[in-house]
């Protein structure tokens, strides 16, 4: 079935961050699309400040390329080079991208102005653009604060909340299969790119156990991941369509026994307790050591 999408005009597409992001190395972010057809139950943008201005249906920023030319030209003239994260709020390789090619056009512009990028995606469609990404990696100007730390202008990051297919189908109903995503990591690594896995969010009492995480690490390591980043679940909002409400509805349907335990670690907060987060982080670090894999990009 063809995906419905609204075509919208925007005044800005390049978002400048106040500080360089320590995890993703980004100084800028770009989202070619607004909202998302992957329909992940836990999507943090629903109910958070990042989703306040999203349209209610999938929208394509149809004039994004011409806007980006103007914005990057200004940044390049001032020598304000920095990593651009592509897909910080909405995947840049949604199914509609196959026809619209907005992300590909943006990559051509990024190549023209020699900015480095970190792409966050769950889609094998990224393989279509490996030719452009290779050129960006060769031409990109690495920002001064990363000189000597980064030897490439392209990082490819693939998102997972689990590598269990049954669990993924419940919480990520529109996302490409895990096999396809793992195969994509391998193909990108074989093509010479720096690739990583983003375990965000890990689902409390479902994908955050030592055993489950060990399987996730094993899966991505076998397919060439250079690094793994991880964080726990956040649940924003109190409205009928936010991620908090939706997550608990799905949990009640499929895992009702976990609802009280989950509510207990969150309390009235949008984030789980400090104790929970500390235990999860220690578990994560232990597995990074076990699998000899970095817990940061460089």
């Amino acid at each position: 079935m063809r995906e419905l999408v609204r075509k919208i005009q925007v005044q800005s597409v390049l978002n400048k961050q106040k500080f360089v992001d320590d995890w993703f190395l980004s100084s800028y972010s770009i989202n070619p699309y607004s909202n998302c057809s992957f329909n992940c139950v836990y999507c943090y943008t629903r109910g958070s400040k990042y989703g306040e201005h999203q349209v209610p249906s999938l929208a394509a920023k149809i004039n994004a390329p011409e806007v980006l030319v103007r914005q990057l030209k200004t940044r390049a003239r001032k020598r304000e080079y920095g990593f651009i994260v592509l897909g910080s709020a909405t995947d840049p390789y949604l199914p509609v991208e196959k026809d619209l090619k907005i992300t590909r056009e943006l990559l051509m512009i990024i190549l023209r102005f020699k900015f480095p990028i970190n792409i966050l995606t769950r889609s094998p469609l990224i393989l279509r653009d490996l030719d452009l990404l290779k050129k960006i990696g060769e031409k990109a100007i690495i920002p001064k604060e990363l000189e000597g730390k980064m030897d490439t202008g392209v990082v490819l990051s693939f998102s997972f909340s689990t590598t269990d297919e049954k669990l993924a189908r419940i919480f990520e109903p529109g996302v490409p299969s895990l096999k396809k995503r793992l195969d994509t990591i391998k193909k990108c690594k074989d093509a010479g790119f720096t690739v990583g896995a983003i375990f965000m969010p890990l689902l409390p009492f479902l994908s955050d156990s030592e055993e489950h995480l060990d399987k996730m690490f094993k899966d991505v390591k076998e397919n060439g991941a250079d690094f793994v980043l991880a964080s726990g679940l956040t649940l924003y909002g109190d409205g009928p369509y936010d991620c908090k409400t939706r997550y608990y509805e799905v949990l009640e349907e499929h895992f009702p026994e976990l609802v009280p335990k989950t509510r207990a670690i969150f309390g009235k907060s949008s984030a789980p307790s400090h104790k929970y987060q500390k235990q999860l982080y220690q578990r994560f670090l232990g597995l990074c050591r076990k699998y000899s894999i970095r817990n940061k990009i460089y």
Side-chain angles (χ1 to χ4, degrees):
M1 190 169 82
R2 183 172 291 276
E3 191 172 13
L4 297 177
V5 58
R6 295 170 52 190
K7 296 180 179 180
I8 61 174
Q9 302 276 330
V10 293
Q11 295 183 336
S12 174
V13 71
L14 182 73
N15 307 301
K16 179 73 170 72
Q17 298 173 190
K18 291 182 179 179
F19 305 101
V20 176
D21 186 281
D22 290 338
W23 277 16
F24 301 108
L25 308 183
S26 56
S27 298
Y28 306 94
S29 65
I30 296 174
N31 291 287
Y33 300 93
S34 180
N35 219 312
C36 183
S37 58
F38 283 164
N39 206 26
C40 298
V41 169
Y42 48 72
C43 182
Y44 78 95
T45 63
R46 295 186 181 91
S48 76
K49 65 179 181 179
Y50 303 103
E52 285 177 350
H53 304 296
Q54 282 191 348
V55 293
S57 60
L58 178 63
K61 300 173 184 179
I62 205 68
N63 68 327
E66 62 186 81
V67 173
L68 185 62
V69 168
R70 183 179 70 250
Q71 292 186 289
L72 279 190
K73 183 182 291 185
T74 298
R75 297 292 178 180
R77 186 175 65 247
K78 296 178 180 179
R79 306 292 294 178
E80 295 177 349
Y81 289 98
F83 268 83
I84 299 171
V85 162
L86 198 60
S88 59
T90 299
D91 200 298
Y93 286 103
L94 298 173
V96 295
E97 167 61 21
K98 186 174 182 180
D99 295 323
L100 295 180
K101 297 183 175 64
I102 297 175
T103 295
R104 184 167 178 85
E105 287 189 57
L106 296 178
L107 291 176
M108 292 178 184
I109 295 162
I110 290 168
L111 170 62
R112 172 182 166 187
F113 289 103
K114 301 180 180 180
F115 276 73
I117 59 168
N118 181 2
I119 298 182
L120 311 184
T121 186
R122 297 171 184 262
S123 175
L125 184 56
I126 192 175
L127 297 174
R128 178 200 66 186
D129 294 336
L130 293 190
D131 59 333
L132 271 176
L133 293 171
K134 183 176 181 180
K135 293 176 182 177
I136 292 173
E138 294 169 350
K139 301 289 186 180
I141 297 173
I142 306 298
K144 290 182 179 179
E145 64 269 19
L146 292 175
E147 288 179 356
K149 299 176 182 178
M150 294 292 297
D151 59 0
T152 177
V154 173
V155 178
L156 306 181
S157 303
F158 297 87
S159 300
F160 301 86
S161 65
T162 177
T163 55
D164 178 273
E165 193 70 66
K166 184 178 179 181
L167 200 58
R169 293 280 64 82
I170 294 172
F171 290 95
E172 307 169 349
V175 175
S177 73
L178 289 162
K179 184 180 186 307
K180 287 181 178 178
R181 279 184 273 167
L182 291 169
D183 286 347
T184 301
I185 291 181
K186 188 175 189 308
K187 289 175 181 176
C188 291
K189 182 60 181 176
D190 289 346
F193 292 96
T194 295
V195 298
I198 311 297
F199 293 169
M200 298 182 186
L202 291 168
L203 309 178
F205 313 111
L206 289 169
S207 65
D208 63 346
S209 68
E210 182 84 23
E211 181 181 10
H212 198 108
L213 275 170
D214 191 283
K215 174 66 162 52
M216 292 177 71
F217 267 86
K218 184 174 184 290
D219 287 339
V220 299
K221 179 71 174 183
E222 287 178 348
N223 286 280
D226 296 299
F227 65 89
V228 175
L229 306 179
S231 72
L233 177 69
T234 53
L235 295 174
Y236 290 108
D238 291 299
Y241 303 111
D242 60 48
C243 66
K244 182 177 181 180
T245 300
R246 191 170 178 222
Y247 186 81
Y248 279 120
E249 286 177 350
V250 172
L251 206 61
E252 185 70 55
E253 178 182 356
H254 295 276
F255 305 98
E257 72 282 3
L258 297 183
V259 173
K261 294 172 65 176
T262 304
R263 290 192 183 278
I265 63 168
F266 277 89
K268 295 181 180 180
S269 175
S270 60
S273 69
H274 178 72
K275 179 181 178 181
Y276 170 88
Q277 294 184 60
K278 184 177 180 180
Q279 290 173 341
L280 180 60
Y281 185 62
Q282 292 303 318
R283 204 174 301 147
F284 165 71
L285 288 181
L287 288 166
C288 285
R289 289 191 293 268
K290 176 179 177 179
Y291 285 94
S292 299
I293 193 166
R294 297 195 300 271
N295 67 334
K296 58 181 182 179
I297 292 176
Y298 59 83

